[in-house]
Amino acid sequence: MSGGVDSSVAAALLKEQGYQVRGVKMKIWDGKTFPGEGRHHGCYGPGEEEDIEDARKVAQTLGIDFHVFDLSQEYKAEVLDYFCHEYLSGRTPNPCLRCNRKVKFDALLSQAQDNGIEFDYFATGHYARVEYDNSKRRYLLKKAKDLTKDQSYFISSLSQQQLGRSLFPIGNYTKEEVKKMAVDFRLGVDNKPESQDFIVGGYSPLIEAAQPGPILDKQGDILGEHRGIPFYTIGQRKGLSISAKEPLYVTAIDREKNAIIVGSKEEVYRDELIASGLNWIAIEELKRPTKLKAKIRYAHKETETMVTPLSKDKVYVKFKEPQMAITPGQAVVFYRGDVVIGGGTIERTMTETR
């Protein structure tokens, strides 16, 4: 239970359906002060105590037990350290996917069991659906009914074992229906704002080893100086502090030279990528070139691709049309209709096209 409307309604629905429900909440913030303190909080930051109390009140309203487990060390090791390492390596990580697989659907459950909490299923407020396919003998991850809120992208790294114990009670409802149910259940969280950011006020306090370096054009000419490669991502336009006749965008990050490369908007487009760290859900593995649709970030509109296996843990992806800002470190997730076939981590892009 996060203290928000989605997980609160998920708990209420399960109790209404006759399940024996217990609420659990992760404590992940280590108490560090962030520049955004006092503003609307994110997943990690000073708003955590407020969220814990909101979740506790919802549990009291529902008449269910509520437990808080301190996972700040696990979160630092699995998410924050990974996050910093990826950025310092010139990549743009996705902490949500990492957190879901390693912490929320793993370490949290281990903590619960270690503290004597036995359970059959683990339910969250994610907008997604899970079903069992008897013919394939596999659990399928599917998009939510409300496609504007669908979060299948963020849980595409879950294993078959994790999906088999997961319930997503609000996956068949729209956000507006969920808010209405929160009012009907009198949970008191129907108007609570959603967390918009991973970290309050930005992640700069986490990055201590960033060093300034040159901003280059594709010919290698120095156009300016950046404040550290962790603060830039492919496709970025704002914050470059460069005077130019036309808008400039980050087209590449060179970790070895500690350099940011910039160019025109057209130069940000690519139509090929290599992905690794694969997690196949609807299939055991990809054995031949297959037409699928793919998303290269959460807000990206999925597009047609040809996905070709290079090895058991690496695929080559060719897009039908060039895509803007394919970013190493982000997840690429493959779909067929509303079914998540699988996904992986973008290692690198290839040709410049458009």
Side-chain angles (χ1 to χ4, degrees):
M1 299 179 69
S2 69
V5 62
D6 298 327
S7 59
S8 298
V9 169
L13 284 171
L14 289 172
K15 185 178 180 186
E16 185 179 61
Q17 292 166 11
Y19 287 91
Q20 292 181 321
V21 182
R22 285 186 174 185
V24 294
K25 168 74 174 166
M26 303 189 303
K27 182 175 175 57
I28 59 174
W29 185 47
D30 59 7
K32 289 185 177 179
T33 301
F34 289 96
E37 189 166 354
R39 305 187 313 178
H40 174 53
H41 53 267
C43 296
Y44 179 81
E48 186 176 68
E49 286 301 322
E50 177 187 336
D51 289 337
I52 289 174
E53 287 311 306
D54 286 344
R56 194 186 307 278
K57 290 176 183 176
V58 170
Q60 290 173 348
T61 299
L62 294 175
I64 63 175
D65 292 340
F66 180 69
H67 309 266
V68 179
F69 296 113
D70 189 339
L71 293 174
S72 55
Q73 291 185 353
E74 290 86 347
Y75 191 80
K76 180 182 184 303
E78 294 292 353
V79 180
L80 297 183
D81 289 351
Y82 157 82
F83 182 82
C84 294
H85 176 269
E86 287 289 279
Y87 262 118
L88 289 169
S89 299
R91 293 153 60 93
T92 303
N94 192 311
C96 297
L97 273 83
R98 181 84 172 188
C99 176
N100 282 328
R101 176 156 185 155
K102 296 287 188 177
V103 185
K104 187 175 293 182
F105 287 79
D106 189 350
L108 176 59
L109 304 192
S110 296
Q111 276 269 25
Q113 290 176 319
D114 291 345
N115 282 273
I117 298 177
E118 298 297 326
F119 58 92
D120 297 310
Y121 297 101
F122 177 62
T124 71
H126 283 98
Y127 284 86
R129 295 176 293 153
V130 63
E131 298 175 4
Y132 186 72
D133 187 320
N134 284 302
S135 63
K136 295 183 178 180
R137 296 184 179 181
R138 298 186 71 83
Y139 290 96
L140 302 182
L141 176 61
K142 294 187 173 183
K143 297 176 185 175
K145 173 184 175 181
D146 188 343
L147 295 180
T148 65
K149 289 293 181 180
D150 174 56
Q151 294 174 305
S152 59
Y153 178 91
F154 289 123
I155 51 178
S156 60
S157 62
L158 297 185
S159 67
Q160 282 289 300
Q161 182 180 17
Q162 289 171 319
L163 288 172
R165 301 190 74 178
S166 298
L167 297 176
F168 304 119
I170 64 171
N172 285 309
Y173 297 96
T174 66
K175 183 72 175 188
E176 290 307 310
E177 289 172 332
V178 169
K179 284 186 175 182
K180 184 180 183 303
M181 284 188 284
V183 174
D184 294 341
F185 285 123
R186 299 181 180 180
L187 301 179
V189 291
D190 47 290
N191 289 319
K192 184 174 180 179
E194 294 182 332
S195 295
Q196 298 296 324
D197 302 309
F198 162 45
I199 292 180
V200 179
Y203 57 84
S204 57
L206 294 177
I207 308 295
E208 299 175 353
Q211 298 294 324
I215 298 178
L216 310 174
D217 62 19
K218 64 180 180 180
Q219 285 79 32
D221 296 328
I222 298 177
L223 304 181
E225 183 179 80
H226 65 74
R227 64 191 186 105
I229 60 175
F231 305 110
Y232 301 84
T233 188
I234 304 299
Q236 181 175 331
R237 176 185 172 186
K238 295 182 179 180
L240 297 178
S241 300
I242 299 173
S243 296
K245 294 180 180 180
E246 62 177 8
L248 294 175
Y249 297 77
V250 176
T251 61
I253 298 174
D254 190 328
R255 176 66 186 89
E256 296 303 316
K257 295 180 180 179
N258 190 33
I260 299 295
I261 294 87
V262 297
S264 66
K265 186 175 183 178
E266 287 72 22
E267 293 175 281
V268 182
Y269 282 79
R270 304 284 190 275
D271 66 356
E272 299 172 287
L273 66 83
I274 299 293
S276 63
L278 303 174
N279 180 54
W280 297 114
I281 297 176
I283 58 176
E284 186 173 345
E285 66 176 300
L286 191 71
K287 297 182 179 180
R288 61 185 63 85
T290 304
K291 287 185 178 180
L292 298 169
K293 289 192 174 182
K295 292 181 70 169
I296 55 173
R297 52 188 164 271
Y298 173 60
H300 178 245
K301 183 179 179 181
E302 62 187 62
T303 188
E304 293 183 20
T305 61
M306 179 65 75
V307 185
T308 302
L310 300 178
S311 67
K312 273 202 169 185
D313 197 45
K314 189 172 289 187
V315 292
Y316 162 72
V317 181
K318 174 74 172 180
F319 291 88
K320 184 177 181 179
E321 300 289 342
Q323 305 299 305
M324 184 177 180
I326 299 176
T327 307
Q330 287 285 291
V332 56
V333 179
F334 306 113
Y335 293 85
R336 180 177 288 127
D338 65 351
V339 176
V340 178
I341 303 302
T345 301
I346 300 171
E347 289 295 328
R348 60 187 176 92
T349 59
M350 299 179 68
T351 59
E352 291 188 18
T353 56
R354 201 186 190 208

